[in-house]
Amino acid sequence: MNRTGRRLLAVAGIGALLALGVPLSSASFAEETPTVLRVGVPNDLTTANPLSLRSGSDWNVATIQYDMMLQFGNEDLSPQPGLADSCEPNKDMTEWTCTFQKGVLWSDGEPFTAADVAFTYKLIIDQDISTYAQYFSDGTTFETPDDNTLVWKSPTPTSQPLTPPWIYILPEHVWSQYADLDKADLRAVENVPTVTTGPYTLTEVNRGQNWTLTKNPNYWGDEPNFDEIRFQLFTNQDAMAQALKNGDIDVATYFESALLPSLEDDPNITVQRNASDWWLNLAFNFGGQSPDSDPLPALQDKTVRMAIAMAIDKQGIVDKAYDGAAEPGTSFIHEIPEQWHYDVPEADQIPYDPDAANAMLDAAGYTRGEDGVRVDPATGDRLALRMPISQETAGALPAGQLIVGYLDQIGVEVEILPVNEGKMYSYWNTGNWDAYIWYWTGEPDPNYQLTTLMSDQCGELSDGCWKNAEYDRLVTEQKDIIDPDQRQAVVHDALALSYAEVPSIALAYPNNIEAYRNDQVTNFTPVPGDTGYLIPNYNNVGMVTVEPVSGSESTGADASTGIPPWGWVAVIGGVGVAAFLFFRRRSAVDEEEG
C-alpha cells in the first residue's frame, strides 16, 4: 500500500522517546500514520476500468479519481469548469473551442494536455463504447491546435459540450497501448494502480473485501484532508449499520430503508436521505437478444402489459418494500433536474385497478384455466412469468414478492428468481426471461436514458428489446435540438409515449440512504444540493472537503476496516441536466466484455 506519510524520526529518536515512556502511537508515529476515511458499501468493486463501470462502487471510485472536461455543479448539476476553463461555440454552433487549465499534471507526474481529452473521446467513438458514445453526433471530430485547446467539430449544430459529457478523461500515455485492442479486451484492462488527475488514485484492490485510494500528490485542486480513502465491503446491511454504530467505519452508503429507525436513533450518527435519482424498474422482454431469448409471446400484447401495470399497487411497494422512504414511480426519468421529468397528467395515468385489469383480460379472451392462471388465446400458453430479481438492488426482492400476490389477483402467475448482479447481467444479455426487476438511473442529460429504449439498442442498452419507430424518431429528434424549451417538449413526448406503451414500469423512486459518524467526520459537500450524495456520484468535491472531527482518533491506518471558482457564463442559458443513480447507470455489454 502506498502511503503519503514521511518518516520523520530516526531510530535513535524513537529509542529516546521509549526511554522517556512516551507512547509511540501518539508521538513518533503520529505524523507517519496516514489519516483514513473509512467508507462502508454493500456493493463490490467489479472493475477499475472507466470504460466498463457497472456497480455503484465502480462509479463512486471512478468519480473520486477522474475529472471530466467540464464538471457538474454542486447545487444543480449545471456545467462548471473542470479540466476545461471554458467551451465557446462558433456562430452556427457546429464548432466549439474549449480551453484548458495550464500546469495540470497526471498523478504519475506527466503533463495533462488537450490531447488526452481528444484521445479519450476518439477512443470511445472508435470502440463504440455504448455507455458514452451517445454524447457525440455522427461525424464528430476533435483537433488540438495546442496543448491547452480542443476544437470540437460537429457536422450539425450541437450543444453537446455543455451537457456536459459524463466521460472520465484518460491519460493517453497510459491508455494508448490498449487503443487497438478489441472492445472486450479493452474493457478487461485491470488498470490498478491508476493514473488520474483527480484528488485520489486507486492503489490497492482486494475484491470481495476492500479497496484503497491514496491522495494524488499532483492534484490541481484544493488538497484533500485525508491521506487515504478505504472502502470496506459489507455483504450484510445489518453488519454495516453495526460497524457504523461501533465507530469502525466513518460513513456508509446505500443503506436499506428498514435500517433507518436504528440509525436515526443514534445521536452520533447523521442520516442523509438523498433525493431520489434512481428508480426500481420492472422491464418486459420482447425478445431478440440472443438465440436463447425465449420470452412469453403474450407480452407483445399491450393489453397484457397494461393489465399487469394496473394490478400493481405502487403505493403498497413504497410502504412495504421501502418503509415509506420512496415515491410511487411514473415515467422513467425522475426529477433531478425537474425540467426533464415528465409529470404524467392525471387523466393519462395508469391507475391501480385490479378489477379493471381483470375486465380487460376477460374482454381480450385471456380466460382462466382450472388452476386460475389465464391462457393466451393465440398460443395456448399459460400467463406464467419467469421474473429474475436483483437481490443487490434495495427493495427489489420485497417488491417482487408483493408483485407475486398482486398479479395472482388477475390470473398471472409469477415465478421470482432472486439472483446476484452478475447473474442479472447474464439474464439481460441472453434474453431468457419474461420480466425482471432491477434498477435504472439517469444522467444529468436525458439523452442517455431515452436512448436505452431505442430499437437499435437491442443487445446493448435496451432492457427487453422493445421497438417503436415513433419513439425512435422522437429520441433522435431531441438530441440535436438547441433550444432547451423546444427540446423539453420533444423529450416529454417520448416519455409520454413510452409510459403509454408500457415496455417497462417505473415501480418506485426510492431515497438513497447514507449515514456518517458526526463525532468522527464532518464537512461533507452533498451533491446536488443539501439532499445530494455524500459519497461521490456526480463530482469529487465532497471527498476533498470532508475532514476528521478535531480530536478524533478513529481514522488512523490501524482502524478497521477545490474546485476553482466558476468564471465562465454558459453560452446557452438553461441547457438542462437531469439525474444520476443509485448504482449509477448500467453498462450493456456481454459478460465477457466486462
Side-chain angles (χ1 to χ4, degrees):
M1 179 186 303
N2 295 326
R3 293 181 176 177
T4 58
R6 295 180 297 150
R7 296 186 179 274
L8 301 177
L9 297 177
V11 174
I14 295 175
L17 288 170
L18 286 171
L20 293 171
V22 178
L24 289 180
S25 60
S26 61
S28 62
F29 292 157
E31 292 185 36
E32 182 178 332
T33 302
T35 54
V36 182
L37 178 68
R38 302 161 304 169
V39 183
V41 290
N43 310 108
D44 201 3
L45 184 72
T46 67
T47 180
N49 185 330
L51 301 178
S52 55
L53 307 176
R54 289 184 170 181
S55 78
S57 292
D58 296 351
W59 286 97
N60 293 147
V61 167
T63 301
I64 292 170
Q65 300 179 85
Y66 291 94
D67 294 308
M68 305 188 303
M69 182 174 74
L70 298 176
Q71 68 180 8
F72 302 123
N74 296 344
E75 293 298 324
D76 59 2
L77 305 183
S78 60
Q80 302 290 322
L83 292 170
D85 290 319
S86 66
C87 288
E88 299 191 18
N90 63 359
K91 186 174 181 179
D92 66 0
M93 300 187 71
T94 58
E95 185 174 301
W96 289 75
T97 300
C98 301
T99 59
F100 290 83
Q101 298 188 51
K102 296 180 180 179
V104 174
L105 299 177
W106 291 98
S107 56
D108 63 358
E110 290 292 317
F112 161 82
T113 71
D116 293 305
V117 181
F119 167 79
T120 302
Y121 289 172
K122 187 175 186 301
L123 179 66
I124 286 165
I125 293 171
D126 291 347
Q127 291 280 2
D128 191 25
I129 305 296
S130 58
T131 307
Y132 305 114
Q134 42 84 27
Y135 286 113
F136 309 111
S137 300
D138 291 343
T140 299
T141 60
F142 308 95
E143 296 177 1
T144 53
D146 58 60
D147 284 350
N148 295 302
T149 307
L150 174 81
V151 180
W152 177 318
K153 294 185 176 182
S154 171
T156 57
T158 184
S159 60
Q160 289 166 338
L162 292 189
T163 301
W166 197 331
I167 296 174
Y168 300 114
I169 304 305
L170 304 175
E172 181 179 14
H173 68 280
V174 174
W175 284 84
S176 58
Q177 63 185 307
Y178 309 120
D180 294 331
L181 298 176
D182 62 37
K183 188 191 297 189
D185 290 337
L186 177 65
R187 298 176 68 106
V189 173
E190 284 296 319
N191 191 42
V192 179
T194 56
V195 176
T196 74
T197 57
Y200 289 88
T201 63
L202 184 66
T203 52
E204 182 179 14
V205 176
N206 299 300
R207 286 201 169 84
Q209 299 180 55
N210 53 62
W211 45 98
T212 300
L213 294 95
T214 302
K215 185 161 59 176
N216 175 4
N218 297 321
Y219 181 48
W220 54 270
D222 293 337
E223 183 178 0
N225 296 302
F226 284 94
D227 298 316
E228 295 180 357
I229 302 174
R230 185 172 303 154
F231 283 82
Q232 178 67 46
L233 176 65
F234 289 87
T235 57
N236 181 287
Q237 290 246 341
D238 290 321
M240 186 165 74
Q242 193 58 51
L244 188 65
K245 287 174 174 290
N246 293 343
D248 295 330
I249 55 176
D250 304 303
V251 59
T253 188
Y254 306 137
F255 274 114
E256 293 175 353
S257 56
L259 293 168
L260 266 172
S262 66
L263 294 172
E264 292 178 329
D265 284 345
D266 191 321
N268 292 322
I269 291 177
T270 297
V271 173
Q272 177 85 346
R273 297 194 190 200
N274 305 136
S276 178
D277 59 0
W278 72 281
W279 55 98
L280 188 68
N281 187 59
L282 187 156
F284 295 109
N285 191 7
F286 298 82
Q289 296 92 338
S290 78
D292 295 327
S293 177
D294 184 29
L296 191 68
L299 293 175
Q300 300 281 350
D301 186 350
K302 178 181 171 182
T303 299
V304 173
R305 303 195 305 273
M306 182 67 72
I308 290 174
M310 294 173 69
I312 294 175
D313 181 1
K314 293 181 179 178
Q315 187 61 53
I317 290 174
V318 166
D319 294 339
K320 297 173 183 177
Y322 293 102
D323 300 289
E327 298 174 11
T330 52
S331 59
F332 72 93
I333 289 180
H334 197 30
E335 296 175 342
I336 305 176
E338 187 176 355
Q339 69 262 35
W340 302 125
H341 174 67
Y342 176 61
D343 192 7
V344 183
E346 186 174 352
D348 297 332
Q349 290 181 15
I350 300 171
Y352 169 54
D353 193 340
D355 291 339
N358 273 311
M360 286 175 59
L361 293 172
D362 289 341
Y366 290 90
T367 58
R368 293 179 183 262
E370 293 183 359
D371 59 359
V373 177
R374 292 182 183 273
V375 176
D376 184 347
T379 65
D381 294 332
R382 298 166 70 249
L383 295 195
L385 306 181
R386 299 160 297 166
M387 184 181 287
I389 297 177
S390 168
Q391 297 181 103
E392 297 171 23
T393 300
L397 183 55
Q401 292 166 337
L402 289 169
I403 287 172
V404 171
Y406 295 152
L407 299 194
D408 181 65
Q409 298 178 78
I410 64 169
V412 176
E413 181 180 276
V414 178
E415 177 191 7
I416 60 174
L417 304 168
V419 296
N420 62 24
E421 202 88 337
K423 185 62 175 177
M424 286 299 295
Y425 282 107
S426 178
Y427 276 120
W428 184 13
N429 290 314
T430 62
N432 190 20
W433 51 281
D434 301 312
Y436 64 40
I437 298 177
W438 210 353
Y439 64 89
W440 261 118
T441 66
E443 289 228 354
D445 183 88
N447 191 66
Y448 174 84
Q449 195 58 42
L450 292 169
T451 302
T452 65
L453 281 177
M454 291 186 72
S455 301
D456 65 1
Q457 290 300 311
C458 182
E460 292 287 339
L461 293 175
S462 176
D463 274 305
C465 290
W466 178 63
K467 297 180 180 180
N468 184 289
E470 175 62 8
Y471 180 85
D472 294 346
R473 185 191 69 78
L474 290 167
V475 175
T476 302
E477 179 184 348
Q478 64 80 34
K479 183 175 181 179
D480 292 321
I481 296 176
I482 301 299
D483 182 85
D485 292 333
Q486 293 179 11
R487 187 183 182 206
Q488 181 194 55
V490 179
V491 168
H492 285 183
D493 286 345
L495 292 173
L497 176 61
S498 64
Y499 179 84
E501 292 296 317
V502 205
S504 59
I505 301 171
L507 297 171
Y509 304 133
N511 297 137
N512 181 50
I513 298 167
E514 298 178 297
Y516 65 92
R517 294 281 309 202
N518 52 47
D519 58 341
Q520 295 179 179
V521 289
T522 187
N523 205 28
F524 285 99
T525 300
V527 178
D530 292 341
T531 59
Y533 286 84
L534 305 178
I535 304 305
N537 280 327
Y538 296 103
N539 67 36
N540 52 39
V541 65
M543 295 295 95
V544 174
T545 62
V546 64
E547 59 187 348
V549 169
S550 178
S552 172
E553 297 180 356
S554 61
T555 53
D558 59 344
S560 60
T561 66
I563 306 300
W566 172 249
W568 170 58
V569 177
V571 176
I572 305 174
V575 173
V577 290
F580 172 65
L581 76 169
F582 181 73
F583 295 99
R584 187 52 167 80
R585 55 194 173 182
R586 291 186 262 129
S587 173
V589 295
D590 294 337
E591 281 298 293
E592 60 266 28
E593 290 186 11

